[in-house]
Amino acid sequence: MTVRLIATDLDGTLLDSSSAVTPRTRAALDAARERGIHVIPVTARQPIGLRAIAAGAGFDGWALCSNGAYAVRLGDGRMLFAEELPPDTIRTLVEALRASIPGLLFASVREAGETFVAQDGYAEIAQLSDHKRDPRTMGGVPLEHVLAAPSLKLVIRHPELAPAALFDTLRNLGLTGFEATLSGAPFVEVMAEGVTKATGLARLCEHLGIDRADVVAFGDALNDVEMLRWAGRGVAMAHAEPVVQDAADETTASNDDDGVAQVIERLLG
């Protein structure tokens, strides 16, 4: 296939278990860029989390954050698009969930991913690895403040209940007007209706004048499924769940075995 754009998830895919880009993977990314191929991170992370690994990966151009909710240029912060959850939708969802599951905690990602509004008590159960933010900087506000403004991503978690159980409960509520997914993080992630990594990637490719047939995408989690199906060639990691591997055209080695680099090296010949 002709490759004009490489779209890659980060955690569990491009990054190894220590959240680093290995020398082999960096060399493969650089070789692709030297051929004029766009290399785009497509992630649940926000810019703060991308900046932590940008130098190691050579990322300084377009990135898709919050599972495709918005596109931002890492070099200058320019936004191409942003899809937000309206407050009314957020309130309806939160009220229904709280009626089913006591003890839930919520946070809202806003303003190009730079603002993180966390409910009182959220920081106490968060870790740096969750959002690439020091929990000591999160503060805490009443729930009404979390729900009061549009959100690029609503985060839902519980001190004890597993994210998969929360996700199942959310899907069984029968509500509409939003898109929910799991990224492997300890919470459920909710975006605007119809927003996935695939929709964000499609909008960015239209902007760049690139056909989906010329896109190779890599991923390992549920939030990667739509992107793997959409791309001209979808590649799942060896450790991905069956639903993710079924969505892909092929499976490569794990992130700790440079699975992304192995495929890029082959494609570049």
Side-chain angles (χ1 to χ4, degrees):
M1 65 177 294
T2 300
V3 181
R4 296 189 60 201
L5 187 145
I6 294 169
T8 181
D9 172 56
L10 298 179
D11 300 284
T13 300
L14 187 76
L15 307 180
D16 66 13
S17 294
S18 67
S19 294
V21 178
T22 69
R24 181 179 179 181
T25 294
R26 175 60 190 266
L29 298 180
D30 287 343
R33 285 185 281 248
E34 288 170 5
R35 299 272 191 97
I37 299 170
H38 297 271
V39 179
I40 308 295
V42 186
T43 178
R45 294 187 184 209
Q46 313 309 321
I48 188 173
L50 278 168
R51 289 193 286 267
I53 58 94
F59 294 141
D60 60 4
W62 288 112
L64 288 163
C65 298
S66 278
N67 299 311
Y70 65 102
V72 60
R73 282 190 66 89
L74 297 177
D76 57 17
R78 181 163 72 92
M79 299 282 287
L80 179 63
F81 62 82
E83 296 286 347
E84 295 178 313
L85 271 166
D88 288 348
T89 301
I90 297 172
R91 288 193 189 93
T92 298
L93 167 60
V94 168
E95 289 171 4
L97 263 182
R98 293 181 75 210
S100 298
I101 305 174
L104 289 171
L105 293 166
F106 302 87
S108 174
V109 175
R110 301 175 187 165
E111 298 171 349
E114 301 295 348
T115 300
F116 189 85
V117 182
Q119 182 183 356
D120 289 321
Y122 189 97
E124 282 70 25
I125 64 169
Q127 299 182 20
L128 175 63
S129 58
D130 294 345
H131 302 284
K132 316 306 180 283
R133 298 174 186 269
D134 187 337
R136 292 173 296 182
T137 70
M138 290 180 181
V141 299
L143 177 58
E144 181 55 33
H145 291 190
V146 180
L147 313 182
S151 178
L152 291 164
K153 183 170 76 172
L154 179 71
V155 176
I156 307 169
R157 70 189 300 169
H158 192 276
E160 300 172 355
L161 202 59
L166 292 180
F167 185 65
D168 288 342
T169 299
L170 178 57
R171 288 194 299 181
N172 290 333
L173 290 176
L175 299 176
T176 59
F178 59 87
E179 193 76 31
T181 193
L182 299 171
S183 68
F187 42 77
V188 175
E189 303 171 39
V190 181
M191 287 70 57
E193 186 172 16
V195 167
T196 67
K197 288 188 176 184
T199 62
L201 186 55
R203 292 184 69 171
L204 179 57
C205 284
E206 182 179 9
H207 173 73
L208 297 172
I210 294 174
D211 190 272
R212 62 189 290 186
D214 299 330
V215 175
V216 178
F218 297 88
D220 75 303
L222 183 65
N223 64 333
D224 298 311
V225 165
E226 292 87 358
M227 177 175 72
L228 297 182
R229 288 176 177 154
W230 181 87
R233 187 153 199 85
V235 184
M237 310 308 289
H239 54 276
E241 294 183 8
V243 65
V244 182
Q245 295 194 24
D246 288 345
D249 298 293
E250 68 172 283
T251 298
T252 186
S254 74
N255 58 322
D256 284 324
D257 292 318
D258 292 296
V260 172
Q262 290 185 34
V263 174
I264 294 174
E265 290 164 357
R266 188 184 77 237
L267 290 172
L268 296 182

